[in-house]
Amino acid sequence: MTKGASAPSLKHRLEYAAFRFLRGVLSILPARVADDFGGMLGGFVGTLLRIRRDVVDENLRLAFPDQNDAWRRKVGRASYRHMVREMIATFRMGSTNRDDVLARTTLHGDIDGLMAAVEAGKGAIIVTGHLGNWEIGGASVAVRGVPVDAVALVQANRLFDREIVETRGRLGMTVMPRGAAPRLALKSIRAGRVPALVADQNARKGGVFVDFFGIPAATAKGAAVFALRTGAPIFLGVSIRRPLPSLAYDVNLERIPAETTGDMDADVERVTQAHTTALEAWVRRHPEQYFWQHKRWKTRPPGGTGLHPVRY
């Protein structure tokens, strides 16, 4: 425990004990059994409990207005099954080793460009979204020798947070607290490392509005700022689960153009739009693997004229 830090509360200890028990049970199950259980549990959560189902339905209505209700309901149900399958896969990463990650992931796209930037000591940025399994995607790059610094929110439960840090560390990733990312990410890049950011959640403040499925979405601009300030290349990374019954993933890296023009605000908006558009293209290919449960368009631009209505 850090010097001067208070002892974990009883609530946090109980939460952590429950987590360890659940992870232990899921880890001893055969991978196929655990995955099938996740699919069944996800169907229960989305169809019977309907947790955040109104948000999912609204997001799919906004993103795919040309599709019919039956198609959107099908994708919505599939997204719950996928979400819980991947939650379980992430839980099981606590007992996963590097060889297992290597065996279950295949890298595609501009991996050579990423490796070249790292080997040259220039560093790079990976930006991703809540598509497929982003935790396994980060691990897949780290176990291949890329020095990844995952930008993550510090958990209120320090025991749980420590477990996440240790799991990522065992697979070659370090963790960078989100609150310190503006300072630490620049140091990381200048040291030839690769900060990895998830940048597709609603940015309540400090973001920039870019189009996502044709609707202005408040989006974190950190990845663009880091790339433009350092000149390091920026890559969109997505980890797509292969069709069932496979337990493997295709990890795709795509270089995002990030030229500077001297107008920093315009450059940040353009780069943020570029990686958001690239992510949207992947979501359109695999809509059932996206995290539609999040209120992506909750923050609206000032005025809000001419926008699709968002009924959260």
Side-chain angles (χ1 to χ4, degrees), residues 22-35 37 88 92:
L22 178 60
R23 194 186 71 178
V25 170
L26 292 172
S27 295
I28 62 175
L29 290 175
R32 170 59 52 211
V33 174
D35 192 67
F37 172 71
I88 288 176
R92 288 170 59 90

Side-chain angles (χ1 to χ4, degrees), residues 146-200:
V146 176
V148 174
D149 295 326
V151 177
L153 183 67
V154 176
Q155 302 296 313
N157 187 328
R158 291 200 313 278
L159 296 170
F160 184 52
D161 190 72
R162 184 180 65 193
E163 188 83 16
I164 294 173
V165 170
E166 290 176 354
T167 295
R168 288 170 171 162
R170 193 174 60 257
L171 296 174
M173 294 181 285
T174 62
V175 176
M176 185 183 300
R178 184 184 298 174
R183 173 176 55 88
L184 295 181
L186 292 174
K187 290 180 65 176
S188 171
I189 296 165
R190 288 164 180 156
R193 299 180 62 82
V194 182
L197 309 88
V198 182
D200 68 330

Side-chain angles (χ1 to χ4, degrees), residues 18-194:
F19 163 75
R20 289 294 297 267
F21 173 77
L22 178 60
R23 194 186 71 178
V25 170
L26 292 172
S27 295
I28 62 175
L29 290 175
R32 170 59 52 211
V33 174
D35 192 67
D36 289 345
F37 172 71
M40 289 188 293
L41 181 59
F44 176 74
V45 170
T47 303
L48 296 179
L49 297 184
R50 297 185 62 82
I51 296 174
R52 286 215 161 196
R53 189 57 192 263
D54 56 339
V55 174
V56 172
D57 291 344
E58 175 69 356
N59 281 341
L60 287 169
R61 182 188 69 81
L62 292 167
F64 297 99
D66 296 332
Q67 294 288 353
N68 58 42
D69 289 342
W71 183 91
R72 289 192 288 263
R73 284 194 297 269
K74 180 181 177 181
V75 170
R77 290 193 298 267
S79 76
Y80 280 94
R81 293 193 294 270
H82 172 81
M83 176 182 69
V84 180
R85 285 180 190 274
E86 300 312 318
M87 286 176 61
I88 288 176
T90 301
F91 269 29
R92 288 170 59 90
M93 286 178 70
S95 58
T96 296
N97 58 41
R98 292 173 178 243
D99 289 342
D100 184 52
V101 174
L102 284 169
R104 293 176 59 196
T105 59
T106 303
L107 267 57
H108 306 272
D110 197 5
I111 182 63
D112 290 341
L114 176 63
M115 293 293 193
V118 171
E119 290 170 1
K122 296 179 180 179
I125 302 103
I126 294 177
V127 61
T128 188
H130 290 82
L131 176 68
N133 190 315
W134 51 96
E135 286 286 347
I136 288 177
S140 74
V141 176
V143 298
R144 288 170 168 86
V146 176
V148 174
D149 295 326
V151 177
L153 183 67
V154 176
Q155 302 296 313
N157 187 328
R158 291 200 313 278
L159 296 170
F160 184 52
D161 190 72
R162 184 180 65 193
E163 188 83 16
I164 294 173
V165 170
E166 290 176 354
T167 295
R168 288 170 171 162
R170 193 174 60 257
L171 296 174
M173 294 181 285
T174 62
V175 176
M176 185 183 300
R178 184 184 298 174
R183 173 176 55 88
L184 295 181
L186 292 174
K187 290 180 65 176
S188 171
I189 296 165
R190 288 164 180 156
R193 299 180 62 82
V194 182

